Amino acid sequence: MTWQVLHDKVKHHLEYIYADVPLEHSLESLTMSLMETMGIKPDEDVSLPQSHSNYWDEDDIIMITYGDSVIDGDERPLVTLNRFLNRYSKNTINNVHILPFFPYSSDDGFSVIDYSSVNEALGSWDDIEAIAKDYGLMTDLVINHCSARSVWFDNFIKGEGPGSDFFFTGDPADDLSIVTRPRVSPLLRETETKDGTKHVWCTFSHDQVDFDFRNPKVLLTFIDIIRLYIDKGAKIFRLDAVAFLWKIVGTNCINLPQTHEVIRLIRTLIEHVDPSIIIITETNIPNRENLTYFGNANEAHAIYNFSLPPLLVNTLVTGNCKYLKSWMMSMPPAQNGTAYFNFIASHDGIGLRPAEGLLDDEEISELVHTMQNFGGKISWRASDHGQQKPYEINITLFDALQGTTKGPDKWQIDRFICAHAIMLGMEGIPGIYIHSLLGTSNDYEKVANTGQNRSINRRRWDFKELEALLDSPYSQHHKVLTRLSQLIRIRKAQPAFHPNATQFTLQLNESIFGYWRQSLDRKQSIFCISNVSDEEQTILLSDINLIGTDNWIDLVTRQQIALSDAFLQLKPYQVLWISNQDFE
């Protein structure tokens, strides 16, 4: 692709984005500024991305962590994190999502004060780059809002300097009743400025003030930030809360066409700098809306599979997989060049909006009640009609799976491993939260200290204490890390677990969840079968139709599957990965 063709493509994106916005400068000027900011110059070669290419394979696992999830005395936490990775995850994890590591004022990093520097309490850019040398670095682009304590917002109040025109304002007289909100706080923040009282738009909290992307300076600033992160080693960009980016009063202000076009523009610019860099959109919204962020393989490379956590937890606490099965059957295969980002735990809670339309109100209510019985907290949002509805469940995944709707039981670890085995085998790229890898329980002390429900799943481990627990064969942490690491190593060796390999949902009974994967070259088949109940289950071999000319082995136990047997017996929460080839 020539520079001119790329230039015309960028300009076309801008024509769509700013079609209804009066601009101070020409689109041609903006096009040139964007390309120059990204480092794309007329006299240099332009990288040519290959259409529908997969820049990932079965070897890719992403660990999600805060920069200070593990600390060791006065050592910089990012240095400690690197030591932890090299000691406990070197052979399993090859990508690391370090949650916002910038100076911030609230929301554990997602209220960014300064996008261009590393929080001194964590370390430095040198520490980030050291991790990026050995692991694929996934970094957040907190693109919808920044901190009300930022220099930009100070300049907005003063009416001068960079940021003085960066923020979206509304009018209390406007009808904002249909604006989609993830929080119950007032949408508008009354702010006294040099130019009088203004009402700043705050989708999340009054410390998180929303940008106004109608101003091209905001777009240019974020392209500059993206270029900086690329130079520091970023290989994966997570676009945080991007669904709310563009606002038009009188609409619901979510998933607007201009938002999608901004993502396409960002992708166009990034992939012509380095085609292997991928974009993941963090859009915690109902499933059908979430799927639109793939575009036509020209928008997000990957989307968070937000419906998976609530559906899988619901499956394992009820012992019934009918909702999970229906959802999986409805999911379109991700075309080459796109992939699902699968996760079942994160720094946030178990989102319930993505379960809307998949679980009925009664099922959601029972799930919420069960999680509360297991020590979970509930965060709320305002519905379109002003009612409060549960937005997410705040609980560690380990404690969420301590029992069933009947109460806690002895199967906690087996149920927890079963959940990860289901996720690891599915179509898509797996993401594993550090506290799942470590089998961390609810941190009630941190909740009490911060007053924030989400703190329950954001424990900060002392490295020496953690080492002692991980080295003790009797601790839950050792058992979880050992078993998860084994599953990950098995997964990484199997071509049929490529994120884009064929997937087909099996029709077994409601206590057995199963799907079939086939490698891209069609040589390897794996039948992934999980007992999601607390009772033994039996399946007929004829139900999964193993080809008689192949030799079949369960990759988890290394046991041969005798085709002469009429059935298979599964213990509670047992998982089988039955394959015609073993590559480990």
Side-chain angles (χ1 to χ4, degrees):
M1 179 180 289
T2 66
W3 179 91
Q4 186 62 47
V5 173
L6 175 58
H7 166 280
D8 293 345
K9 188 176 181 182
V10 171
K11 190 172 182 179
H12 178 72
H13 288 306
L14 295 172
E15 287 170 348
Y16 187 92
I17 294 167
Y18 294 108
D20 300 321
V21 179
L23 298 179
E24 181 180 349
H25 301 290
S26 69
L27 287 178
E28 173 63 25
S29 172
L30 179 56
T31 300
M32 295 295 291
S33 295
L34 285 171
M35 294 180 70
E36 182 179 348
T37 299
M38 188 56 95
I40 303 170
K41 300 177 181 178
D43 57 346
E44 294 179 352
D45 291 335
V46 175
S47 296
L48 180 63
Q50 296 297 311
S51 178
H52 300 287
S53 292
N54 299 322
Y55 295 101
W56 45 79
D57 60 25
E58 61 274 12
D59 193 51
D60 283 303
I61 308 285
I62 300 175
M63 189 182 81
I64 306 161
T65 181
Y66 280 101
D68 59 355
S69 290
V70 184
I71 57 174
D72 191 1
D74 293 331
E75 183 175 63
R76 297 189 304 278
L78 288 170
V79 174
T80 307
L81 175 62
N82 206 355
R83 279 202 297 128
F84 168 83
L85 288 166
N86 291 333
R87 174 165 182 185
Y88 292 105
S89 305
K90 192 71 174 179
N91 298 320
T92 52
I93 302 298
N94 64 338
N95 299 281
V96 182
H97 174 199
I98 306 178
L99 290 155
F101 46 79
F102 319 105
Y104 71 96
S105 56
S106 64
D107 199 16
D108 279 356
F110 286 93
S111 185
V112 179
I113 292 175
D114 178 6
Y115 287 81
S116 62
S117 62
V118 175
N119 183 353
E120 292 182 355
L122 297 177
S124 67
W125 277 120
D126 287 343
D127 301 323
I128 292 291
E129 291 180 86
I131 293 173
K133 286 179 182 176
D134 295 323
Y135 302 90
L137 175 64
M138 178 169 166
T139 187
D140 285 277
L141 191 69
V142 184
I143 196 169
N144 178 70
H145 52 261
C146 73
S147 169
R149 289 175 52 192
S150 64
V151 170
W152 290 340
F153 196 65
D154 283 344
N155 288 344
F156 170 80
I157 292 171
K158 291 186 291 187
E160 59 185 26
S164 60
D165 51 359
F166 275 20
F167 299 98
F168 196 93
T169 58
D171 186 335
D174 291 331
D175 182 3
L176 304 175
S177 60
I178 65 170
V179 174
T180 299
R181 296 295 315 288
R183 301 288 186 273
V184 295
S185 57
L187 175 62
L188 299 181
R189 163 189 163 142
E190 186 175 300
T191 304
E192 296 303 322
T193 75
K194 176 186 175 184
D195 300 319
T197 302
K198 294 188 178 181
H199 295 86
V200 181
W201 198 281
C202 299
T203 299
F204 290 87
S205 77
H206 282 193
D207 186 50
Q208 294 166 295
V209 285
D210 284 28
F211 292 112
D212 186 353
F213 271 84
R214 295 174 304 178
N215 180 356
K217 293 179 190 174
V218 177
L219 177 62
L220 271 168
T221 297
F222 271 93
I223 296 304
D224 189 44
I225 292 166
I226 289 170
R227 180 70 239 193
L228 170 66
Y229 296 172
I230 291 173
D231 292 341
K232 298 299 185 182
K235 299 297 291 183
I236 307 170
F237 282 91
R238 175 187 184 270
L239 304 191
D240 176 65
V242 70
F244 301 97
L245 181 141
W246 199 271
K247 290 94 173 165
I248 298 177
V249 173
T251 72
N252 61 4
C253 297
I254 190 171
N255 307 322
L256 296 184
Q258 294 88 341
T259 292
H260 287 277
E261 197 67 30
V262 169
I263 298 169
R264 294 186 192 109
L265 169 62
I266 290 173
R267 173 164 175 168
T268 294
L269 290 168
I270 285 178
E271 68 184 2
H272 286 89
V273 170
D274 183 346
S276 69
I277 293 176
I278 70 172
I279 293 170
I280 302 181
T281 50
E282 188 269 334
T283 43
N284 192 355
I285 51 180
N287 192 57
R288 187 177 297 273
E289 298 169 28
N290 193 27
L291 289 169
T292 65
Y293 282 86
F294 277 140
N296 185 23
N298 63 347
E299 203 165 322
H301 295 88
I303 61 173
Y304 272 73
N305 222 341
F306 273 109
S307 296
L308 179 59
L311 289 177
L312 186 51
V313 171
N314 182 72
T315 292
L316 290 164
V317 299
T318 63
N320 190 313
C321 66
K322 63 180 179 179
Y323 295 105
L324 182 63
K325 185 190 303 181
S326 296
W327 167 76
M328 180 178 271
M329 291 172 63
S330 73
M331 291 292 282
Q335 58 180 306
N336 283 328
T338 66
Y340 293 109
F341 180 57
N342 295 327
F343 73 105
I344 49 179
S346 75
H347 61 289
D348 291 338
I350 300 169
L352 294 175
R353 279 209 78 208
E356 293 174 10
L358 301 172
L359 297 176
D360 60 34
D361 289 345
E362 185 177 341
E363 288 282 342
I364 290 177
S365 178
E366 183 178 39
L367 178 60
V368 166
H369 179 70
T370 302
M371 294 300 101
Q372 287 175 314
N373 286 342
F374 293 162
K377 310 290 184 180
I378 308 300
S379 295
W380 301 85
R381 72 175 180 90
S383 71
D384 293 344
H385 304 290
Q387 299 171 315
Q388 287 198 14
K389 297 187 69 173
Y391 175 70
E392 70 179 14
I393 301 164
N394 304 112
I395 192 170
T396 69
L397 185 65
F398 188 71
D399 279 354
L401 296 176
Q402 65 185 267
T404 67
T405 54
K406 295 176 287 188
D409 59 27
K410 64 180 181 179
W411 301 110
Q412 183 174 15
I413 291 179
D414 291 321
R415 189 181 291 110
F416 184 75
I417 299 300
C418 177
H420 283 87
I422 290 172
M423 186 266 286
L424 285 166
M426 289 175 60
E427 174 192 354
I429 303 167
I432 300 182
Y433 189 36
I434 187 172
H435 290 302
S436 292
L437 205 62
L438 300 175
T440 305
S441 295
N442 292 336
D443 191 340
Y444 300 112
E445 183 179 350
K446 191 166 187 179
V447 173
N449 289 338
T450 66
Q452 301 295 320
N453 286 349
R454 285 178 167 178
S455 296
I456 201 169
N457 195 20
R458 299 178 178 180
R459 178 165 181 167
R460 188 176 295 153
W461 278 103
D462 176 81
F463 193 20
K464 291 183 177 62
E465 176 191 359
L466 182 61
E467 278 184 311
L469 291 169
L470 292 177
D471 292 343
S472 168
Y474 304 105
S475 76
Q476 69 189 44
H477 313 285
H478 173 89
K479 292 174 183 177
V480 166
L481 180 62
T482 300
R483 291 179 64 179
L484 279 183
S485 297
Q486 178 198 17
L487 278 177
I488 292 170
R489 283 192 291 269
I490 296 170
R491 176 225 152 77
K492 289 163 68 79
Q494 315 305 324
F497 285 146
H498 186 286
N500 294 90
T502 299
Q503 178 171 285
F504 180 80
T505 309
L506 301 176
Q507 299 303 313
L508 306 171
N509 73 50
E510 291 187 342
S511 293
I512 300 179
F513 182 63
Y515 50 92
W516 171 72
R517 303 293 310 278
Q518 185 184 57
S519 60
L520 297 175
D521 63 9
R522 301 187 179 183
K523 292 181 180 179
Q524 185 187 30
S525 288
I526 302 178
F527 291 86
C528 303
I529 299 168
S530 303
N531 179 358
V532 297
S533 77
D534 58 1
E535 297 179 357
E536 286 197 3
Q537 299 291 328
T538 301
I539 62 169
L540 299 175
L541 273 179
S542 57
D543 287 343
I544 56 175
N545 194 26
L546 303 181
I547 298 173
T549 55
D550 288 344
N551 294 316
W552 296 90
I553 185 174
D554 172 27
L555 299 173
V556 179
T557 62
R558 290 292 187 273
Q559 292 184 349
Q560 296 288 328
I561 303 298
L563 297 183
S564 58
D565 292 341
F567 57 86
L568 293 171
Q569 197 82 18
L570 278 78
K571 298 175 183 175
Y573 306 105
Q574 183 178 356
V575 174
L576 303 176
W577 284 348
I578 302 173
S579 177
N580 61 343
Q581 295 188 55
D582 181 7
F583 289 91
E584 191 180 14

